[in-house]
Amino acid sequence: MKFTANQIAKALNGKVEGDPNVEISSFAKIEHGKPGQLCFFANPKYEQYVYTSKASVLLVNNDFKPKEAVSPTLVRVENAYSALAVLLKYVTDQKKSYHRRRSLRSSIACSARLGKRVWVGDFVSIGKKCRIGECTKIYNNVTIGEGTVIGHHCIIYPGVHIFPGMVIGDRVILHAGCIIGDDGFGNARNEDGSWTKIEHVGNVVIGNDVEIGSNTTIDKAPMESTIIGNGVRIDNLCLIAHNVVVGDNTVMAGQTGIAGSTVIGKNCILAGQVGVVGHVKIADNTTIGAKSGIIGSVRKPGEVLFGIPALNRMTYLRAFAKFKKAGEE
Protein backbone atom coordinates (compact mmCIF):
# COMPACT_ATOMS: atom_id res chain seq x y z
CA MET A 1 0.00 0.00 0.00
CA LYS A 2 1.32 3.41 -0.96
CA PHE A 3 0.88 6.79 0.74
CA THR A 4 1.76 10.26 -0.50
CA ALA A 5 3.52 12.87 1.60
CA ASN A 6 0.30 14.87 1.51
CA GLN A 7 -1.75 11.94 2.88
CA ILE A 8 0.79 11.47 5.66
CA ALA A 9 0.73 15.15 6.57
CA LYS A 10 -3.08 15.16 6.75
CA ALA A 11 -3.07 12.07 8.99
CA LEU A 12 -0.59 13.75 11.35
CA ASN A 13 -1.81 17.35 11.13
CA GLY A 14 1.61 18.17 9.71
CA LYS A 15 2.97 20.38 6.96
CA VAL A 16 4.70 19.25 3.75
CA GLU A 17 7.96 20.85 2.67
CA GLY A 18 8.81 19.59 -0.81
CA ASP A 19 6.88 17.38 -3.25
CA PRO A 20 3.43 16.61 -1.72
CA ASN A 21 2.82 13.82 -4.25
CA VAL A 22 5.95 11.77 -3.59
CA GLU A 23 4.95 8.23 -2.55
CA ILE A 24 6.24 5.85 0.09
CA SER A 25 5.42 2.18 0.57
CA SER A 26 7.61 1.21 3.53
CA PHE A 27 9.54 2.56 6.52
CA ALA A 28 13.22 2.49 7.48
CA LYS A 29 15.73 3.87 9.99
CA ILE A 30 17.14 7.19 8.88
CA GLU A 31 20.58 5.68 8.25
CA HIS A 32 19.08 3.04 5.91
CA GLY A 33 16.54 5.11 3.99
CA LYS A 34 15.96 4.41 0.29
CA PRO A 35 13.62 5.85 -2.38
CA GLY A 36 10.03 4.87 -1.64
CA GLN A 37 10.61 4.80 2.11
CA LEU A 38 9.76 7.09 5.02
CA CYS A 39 12.25 7.79 7.82
CA PHE A 40 11.97 9.96 10.89
CA PHE A 41 14.44 12.28 12.62
CA ALA A 42 14.00 13.03 16.32
CA ASN A 43 17.38 12.38 17.98
CA PRO A 44 20.05 15.07 17.29
CA LYS A 45 22.85 12.49 17.18
CA TYR A 46 21.41 11.19 13.89
CA GLU A 47 21.39 14.58 12.18
CA GLN A 48 24.28 13.64 9.86
CA TYR A 49 21.97 11.15 8.11
CA VAL A 50 19.40 13.85 7.33
CA TYR A 51 21.75 15.24 4.68
CA THR A 52 22.72 11.87 3.16
CA SER A 53 19.38 10.05 3.32
CA LYS A 54 17.93 8.73 0.07
CA ALA A 55 14.46 8.29 1.59
CA SER A 56 11.51 9.86 -0.19
CA VAL A 57 9.94 11.37 2.94
CA LEU A 58 11.47 12.45 6.22
CA LEU A 59 9.37 13.11 9.33
CA VAL A 60 10.89 15.95 11.40
CA ASN A 61 9.99 18.28 14.25
CA ASN A 62 8.56 21.71 13.45
CA ASP A 63 11.58 23.44 14.99
CA PHE A 64 14.18 21.54 12.95
CA LYS A 65 16.41 23.90 10.93
CA PRO A 66 18.58 22.11 8.32
CA LYS A 67 22.22 23.17 8.15
CA GLU A 68 22.62 21.77 4.62
CA ALA A 69 20.44 20.85 1.66
CA VAL A 70 18.00 18.01 2.32
CA SER A 71 16.95 15.63 -0.45
CA PRO A 72 13.78 13.99 1.00
CA THR A 73 10.43 15.73 1.18
CA LEU A 74 9.95 16.88 4.78
CA VAL A 75 6.76 16.41 6.77
CA ARG A 76 6.95 18.72 9.77
CA VAL A 77 5.05 17.80 12.94
CA GLU A 78 5.05 18.85 16.58
CA ASN A 79 6.84 15.71 17.78
CA ALA A 80 8.32 13.37 15.17
CA TYR A 81 8.72 10.41 17.53
CA SER A 82 5.11 10.53 18.76
CA ALA A 83 3.85 11.21 15.25
CA LEU A 84 5.59 8.06 13.99
CA ALA A 85 3.54 5.96 16.41
CA VAL A 86 0.36 7.62 15.15
CA LEU A 87 1.43 7.11 11.54
CA LEU A 88 2.23 3.41 11.97
CA LYS A 89 -1.21 2.87 13.51
CA TYR A 90 -2.81 4.78 10.64
CA VAL A 91 -1.02 2.61 8.07
CA THR A 92 -1.91 -0.57 9.94
CA ASP A 93 -5.57 0.45 10.10
CA GLN A 94 -5.59 1.16 6.37
CA LYS A 95 -4.16 -2.28 5.64
CA LYS A 96 -6.66 -4.16 7.78
CA SER A 97 -9.27 -5.99 5.82
CA TYR A 98 -12.09 -6.68 8.21
CA HIS A 99 -14.44 -9.03 6.47
CA ARG A 100 -16.33 -11.87 8.02
CA ARG A 101 -14.58 -15.13 7.34
CA ARG A 102 -15.27 -18.56 8.77
CA SER A 103 -12.64 -21.00 7.58
CA LEU A 104 -13.86 -24.46 6.71
CA ARG A 105 -10.86 -25.79 8.58
CA SER A 106 -11.84 -24.11 11.85
CA SER A 107 -14.22 -25.30 14.55
CA ILE A 108 -16.77 -22.75 15.74
CA ALA A 109 -19.43 -23.95 18.15
CA CYS A 110 -23.02 -23.34 17.07
CA SER A 111 -23.74 -21.45 20.29
CA ALA A 112 -20.78 -19.08 19.83
CA ARG A 113 -21.72 -15.57 18.75
CA LEU A 114 -19.42 -13.59 16.48
CA GLY A 115 -19.96 -9.88 15.86
CA LYS A 116 -19.95 -8.13 12.51
CA ARG A 117 -16.78 -8.25 10.40
CA VAL A 118 -15.01 -10.81 12.58
CA TRP A 119 -12.14 -12.51 10.72
CA VAL A 120 -11.27 -16.10 11.63
CA GLY A 121 -8.15 -17.86 10.30
CA ASP A 122 -7.49 -21.55 9.73
CA PHE A 123 -7.49 -24.22 12.43
CA VAL A 124 -9.14 -21.96 15.00
CA SER A 125 -11.27 -23.47 17.75
CA ILE A 126 -14.00 -21.33 19.33
CA GLY A 127 -15.90 -23.04 22.14
CA LYS A 128 -19.53 -23.06 23.18
CA LYS A 129 -21.20 -19.83 24.30
CA CYS A 130 -18.21 -17.64 23.38
CA ARG A 131 -18.86 -14.01 22.49
CA ILE A 132 -16.55 -12.27 20.03
CA GLY A 133 -16.98 -8.51 19.44
CA GLU A 134 -17.13 -6.68 16.13
CA CYS A 135 -14.06 -6.29 13.91
CA THR A 136 -11.94 -8.70 15.93
CA LYS A 137 -9.33 -10.62 13.98
CA ILE A 138 -8.36 -14.16 15.04
CA TYR A 139 -5.35 -15.66 13.30
CA ASN A 140 -4.51 -19.33 12.65
CA ASN A 141 -4.22 -22.01 15.33
CA VAL A 142 -5.94 -20.05 18.09
CA THR A 143 -7.94 -21.83 20.79
CA ILE A 144 -10.70 -19.95 22.60
CA GLY A 145 -12.30 -21.90 25.43
CA GLU A 146 -15.98 -22.23 26.23
CA GLY A 147 -17.74 -19.19 27.63
CA THR A 148 -14.95 -16.73 26.88
CA VAL A 149 -15.91 -13.12 26.10
CA ILE A 150 -13.70 -11.05 23.78
CA GLY A 151 -14.45 -7.42 22.97
CA HIS A 152 -14.43 -5.32 19.80
CA HIS A 153 -11.45 -4.56 17.53
CA CYS A 154 -9.13 -7.11 19.16
CA ILE A 155 -6.26 -8.89 17.42
CA ILE A 156 -5.47 -12.47 18.44
CA TYR A 157 -2.26 -13.62 16.76
CA PRO A 158 -1.37 -17.23 15.82
CA GLY A 159 -0.98 -19.87 18.46
CA VAL A 160 -2.72 -18.02 21.30
CA HIS A 161 -4.54 -20.21 23.81
CA ILE A 162 -7.38 -18.70 25.81
CA PHE A 163 -8.85 -21.01 28.42
CA PRO A 164 -12.60 -21.26 29.17
CA GLY A 165 -14.36 -18.44 30.92
CA MET A 166 -11.86 -15.65 30.30
CA VAL A 167 -12.97 -12.01 29.85
CA ILE A 168 -11.04 -9.81 27.43
CA GLY A 169 -11.90 -6.16 26.76
CA ASP A 170 -11.93 -4.01 23.64
CA ARG A 171 -8.91 -3.26 21.43
CA VAL A 172 -6.76 -5.91 23.08
CA ILE A 173 -3.74 -7.34 21.23
CA LEU A 174 -2.55 -10.84 22.15
CA HIS A 175 0.71 -11.72 20.41
CA ALA A 176 1.68 -15.15 19.14
CA GLY A 177 1.88 -17.98 21.62
CA CYS A 178 0.63 -16.19 24.72
CA ILE A 179 -1.54 -18.16 27.13
CA ILE A 180 -4.43 -16.63 29.01
CA GLY A 181 -5.94 -18.55 31.89
CA ASP A 182 -3.97 -21.72 32.53
CA ASP A 183 -3.72 -23.04 36.11
CA GLY A 184 -1.51 -21.12 38.48
CA PHE A 185 1.33 -22.77 40.40
CA GLY A 186 -0.72 -23.83 43.42
CA ASN A 187 0.19 -26.88 45.46
CA ALA A 188 -0.45 -27.91 49.06
CA ARG A 189 2.25 -29.92 50.85
CA ASN A 190 1.22 -33.11 52.60
CA GLU A 191 2.65 -34.51 55.81
CA ASP A 192 4.66 -37.12 53.90
CA GLY A 193 6.33 -34.42 51.78
CA SER A 194 4.25 -35.02 48.66
CA TRP A 195 2.17 -32.32 46.99
CA THR A 196 -1.53 -32.01 46.21
CA LYS A 197 -2.54 -29.81 43.31
CA ILE A 198 -4.86 -26.91 44.15
CA GLU A 199 -7.52 -26.68 41.47
CA HIS A 200 -8.09 -23.28 39.90
CA VAL A 201 -11.71 -22.40 39.13
CA GLY A 202 -11.39 -18.60 38.69
CA ASN A 203 -10.53 -16.69 35.53
CA VAL A 204 -8.52 -13.83 34.01
CA VAL A 205 -10.11 -10.44 33.34
CA ILE A 206 -8.26 -8.18 30.89
CA GLY A 207 -9.30 -4.55 30.47
CA ASN A 208 -9.44 -2.37 27.36
CA ASP A 209 -6.48 -1.24 25.22
CA VAL A 210 -4.11 -3.91 26.58
CA GLU A 211 -1.21 -5.46 24.64
CA ILE A 212 0.36 -8.74 25.74
CA GLY A 213 3.58 -10.03 24.20
CA SER A 214 4.48 -13.36 22.63
CA ASN A 215 4.76 -16.39 24.91
CA THR A 216 3.61 -14.48 27.98
CA THR A 217 1.46 -16.46 30.41
CA ILE A 218 -1.27 -15.07 32.66
CA ASP A 219 -2.57 -17.62 35.16
CA LYS A 220 -6.19 -17.76 36.24
CA ALA A 221 -7.09 -17.45 39.88
CA PRO A 222 -8.00 -20.41 42.15
CA MET A 223 -11.05 -18.31 43.02
CA GLU A 224 -12.22 -14.92 41.70
CA SER A 225 -9.97 -13.30 39.05
CA THR A 226 -6.48 -12.38 37.98
CA ILE A 227 -6.94 -8.80 36.76
CA ILE A 228 -5.08 -6.82 34.11
CA GLY A 229 -6.18 -3.17 34.09
CA ASN A 230 -6.88 -0.85 31.18
CA GLY A 231 -3.98 0.32 29.03
CA VAL A 232 -1.48 -2.20 30.40
CA ARG A 233 1.49 -3.19 28.20
CA ILE A 234 3.21 -6.52 28.89
CA ASP A 235 6.27 -7.59 26.88
CA ASN A 236 7.25 -11.06 25.62
CA LEU A 237 8.09 -13.96 27.94
CA CYS A 238 6.52 -12.58 31.11
CA LEU A 239 4.66 -14.51 33.80
CA ILE A 240 1.70 -13.11 35.71
CA ALA A 241 0.72 -15.60 38.40
CA HIS A 242 -2.70 -16.35 39.88
CA ASN A 243 -4.67 -13.64 41.70
CA VAL A 244 -2.30 -10.87 40.60
CA VAL A 245 -3.81 -7.42 39.98
CA VAL A 246 -2.00 -5.11 37.55
CA GLY A 247 -3.14 -1.48 37.66
CA ASP A 248 -4.06 0.70 34.69
CA ASN A 249 -1.31 1.84 32.30
CA THR A 250 1.44 -0.18 33.93
CA VAL A 251 4.16 -1.53 31.62
CA MET A 252 6.42 -4.60 32.00
CA ALA A 253 9.48 -5.44 29.92
CA GLY A 254 10.52 -8.96 28.89
CA GLN A 255 11.06 -11.84 31.31
CA THR A 256 9.40 -10.09 34.22
CA GLY A 257 7.77 -12.45 36.70
CA ILE A 258 5.05 -11.55 39.21
CA ALA A 259 4.28 -14.12 41.89
CA GLY A 260 0.77 -14.88 43.11
CA SER A 261 -1.63 -12.50 44.85
CA THR A 262 0.57 -9.44 44.29
CA VAL A 263 -1.03 -6.07 43.55
CA ILE A 264 0.82 -3.76 41.14
CA GLY A 265 -0.35 -0.15 41.17
CA LYS A 266 -1.24 2.15 38.30
CA ASN A 267 1.30 3.75 35.95
CA CYS A 268 4.19 1.57 37.14
CA ILE A 269 7.24 0.65 35.03
CA LEU A 270 8.90 -2.74 35.49
CA ALA A 271 12.07 -3.14 33.41
CA GLY A 272 13.38 -6.42 32.02
CA GLN A 273 13.76 -9.49 34.26
CA VAL A 274 12.20 -7.89 37.33
CA GLY A 275 11.04 -10.43 39.89
CA VAL A 276 8.31 -9.72 42.44
CA VAL A 277 7.48 -12.05 45.33
CA GLY A 278 3.90 -12.97 46.13
CA HIS A 279 1.41 -11.29 48.43
CA VAL A 280 2.93 -7.78 48.27
CA LYS A 281 1.65 -4.41 47.08
CA ILE A 282 3.49 -1.96 44.85
CA ALA A 283 2.36 1.67 44.98
CA ASP A 284 1.28 3.70 41.96
CA ASN A 285 3.93 5.27 39.71
CA THR A 286 6.73 3.00 40.94
CA THR A 287 9.69 2.41 38.59
CA ILE A 288 11.74 -0.77 39.04
CA GLY A 289 15.10 -1.16 37.28
CA ALA A 290 16.13 -4.20 35.24
CA LYS A 291 16.92 -7.45 37.08
CA SER A 292 15.68 -6.01 40.38
CA GLY A 293 14.04 -8.21 42.99
CA ILE A 294 11.10 -6.98 45.06
CA ILE A 295 10.85 -8.88 48.36
CA GLY A 296 8.41 -6.64 50.21
CA SER A 297 5.66 -4.09 49.65
CA VAL A 298 6.48 -0.70 48.12
CA ARG A 299 4.24 1.73 49.97
CA LYS A 300 5.50 5.13 48.79
CA PRO A 301 4.19 6.17 45.33
CA GLY A 302 6.66 7.33 42.72
CA GLU A 303 9.77 5.56 44.03
CA VAL A 304 12.58 4.41 41.72
CA LEU A 305 14.10 1.10 42.83
CA PHE A 306 17.17 -0.92 41.82
CA GLY A 307 18.97 -4.04 42.97
CA ILE A 308 18.42 -7.40 44.68
CA PRO A 309 16.75 -6.87 47.04
CA ALA A 310 15.51 -3.64 45.48
CA LEU A 311 16.43 -0.39 47.20
CA ASN A 312 15.60 3.26 46.63
CA ARG A 313 17.65 4.50 43.68
CA MET A 314 19.89 6.88 45.64
CA THR A 315 20.46 4.34 48.44
CA TYR A 316 21.33 1.73 45.84
CA LEU A 317 23.82 4.01 44.06
CA ARG A 318 25.55 4.96 47.32
CA ALA A 319 25.77 1.30 48.35
CA PHE A 320 27.07 0.32 44.91
CA ALA A 321 29.78 3.02 45.06
CA LYS A 322 31.00 1.65 48.42
CA PHE A 323 30.86 -1.91 47.15
CA LYS A 324 32.86 -0.99 44.05
CA LYS A 325 35.43 0.91 46.08
CA ALA A 326 35.88 -2.03 48.47
CA GLY A 327 36.52 -4.32 45.52
CA GLU A 328 39.25 -2.04 44.21
CA GLU A 329 41.16 -1.91 47.54
Side-chain angles (χ1 to χ4, degrees):
M1 184 173 286
K2 294 183 178 181
F3 299 88
T4 66
N6 197 44
Q7 285 177 297
I8 293 166
K10 285 183 178 179
L12 300 176
N13 293 319
K15 188 170 93 173
V16 177
E17 222 172 81
D19 182 2
N21 297 314
V22 65
E23 292 184 331
I24 65 103
S25 58
S26 62
F27 300 84
K29 295 180 180 179
I30 190 169
E31 59 268 38
H32 301 151
K34 298 177 181 178
Q37 293 185 318
L38 177 143
C39 302
F40 81 102
F41 168 63
N43 190 327
K45 76 177 186 177
Y46 291 97
E47 185 171 352
Q48 59 180 311
Y49 298 111
V50 171
Y51 311 113
T52 60
S53 177
K54 303 297 182 185
S56 295
V57 176
L58 189 61
L59 200 60
V60 300
N61 293 336
N62 283 330
D63 59 1
F64 171 62
K65 296 179 179 179
K67 298 172 185 173
E68 302 175 24
V70 179
S71 173
T73 292
L74 300 183
V75 174
R76 291 186 177 272
V77 292
E78 189 65 31
N79 184 310
Y81 190 77
S82 298
L84 180 66
V86 174
L87 178 60
L88 291 174
K89 185 177 187 308
Y90 169 77
V91 171
T92 301
D93 288 344
Q94 295 301 308
K95 287 182 177 180
K96 285 177 182 175
S97 177
Y98 283 127
H99 57 280
R100 193 175 183 89
R101 176 179 184 268
R102 295 193 181 209
S103 169
L104 296 176
R105 292 176 286 184
S106 291
S107 172
I108 302 175
C110 293
S111 59
R113 295 290 177 265
L114 277 60
K116 297 178 180 178
R117 292 179 291 168
V118 168
W119 190 95
V120 179
D122 293 328
F123 305 109
V124 170
S125 174
I126 300 177
K128 298 176 181 178
K129 300 180 180 179
C130 287
R131 299 289 182 270
I132 313 293
E134 295 182 3
C135 299
T136 284
K137 191 167 188 177
I138 303 168
Y139 282 82
N140 299 348
N141 298 299
V142 169
T143 302
I144 301 174
E146 179 179 341
T148 289
V149 176
I150 298 176
H152 307 302
H153 297 276
C154 295
I155 302 175
I156 316 295
Y157 282 108
V160 170
H161 295 283
I162 303 171
F163 281 69
M166 303 302 112
V167 178
I168 296 171
D170 298 332
R171 300 173 299 281
V172 171
I173 301 173
L174 303 179
H175 285 279
C178 72
I179 298 174
I180 308 298
D182 65 341
D183 283 355
F185 189 63
N187 297 277
R189 192 159 199 171
N190 302 315
E191 291 184 4
D192 63 359
S194 63
W195 298 89
T196 298
K197 176 181 173 60
I198 297 174
E199 297 296 336
H200 288 59
V201 297
N203 71 346
V204 174
V205 177
I206 297 175
N208 300 325
D209 303 298
V210 172
E211 184 167 1
I212 298 173
S214 296
N215 297 316
T216 283
T217 298
I218 302 178
D219 296 340
K220 65 184 176 185
M223 298 174 285
E224 301 185 1
S225 302
T226 300
I227 298 173
I228 308 298
N230 297 324
V232 168
R233 299 289 190 270
I234 301 175
D235 199 359
N236 305 329
L237 296 168
C238 293
L239 169 63
I240 312 297
H242 55 235
N243 283 117
V244 167
V245 176
V246 179
D248 295 350
N249 302 316
T250 283
V251 297
M252 293 180 200
Q255 298 185 334
T256 289
I258 313 296
S261 299
T262 284
V263 178
I264 310 289
K266 299 178 180 180
N267 305 305
C268 294
I269 300 173
L270 282 68
Q273 295 187 330
V274 165
V276 183
V277 300
H279 302 274
V280 300
K281 294 184 178 181
I282 296 178
D284 295 346
N285 301 297
T286 298
T287 298
I288 305 172
K291 292 181 178 289
S292 296
I294 304 295
I295 63 171
S297 292
V298 179
R299 295 181 173 84
K300 183 180 177 182
E303 282 206 90
V304 180
L305 307 172
F306 287 92
I308 305 173
L311 302 169
N312 175 274
R313 176 176 177 272
M314 295 308 300
T315 303
Y316 172 82
L317 291 174
R318 286 194 293 267
F320 179 76
K322 291 182 179 179
F323 180 76
K324 183 180 179 182
K325 184 178 179 180
E328 293 172 347
E329 292 176 353

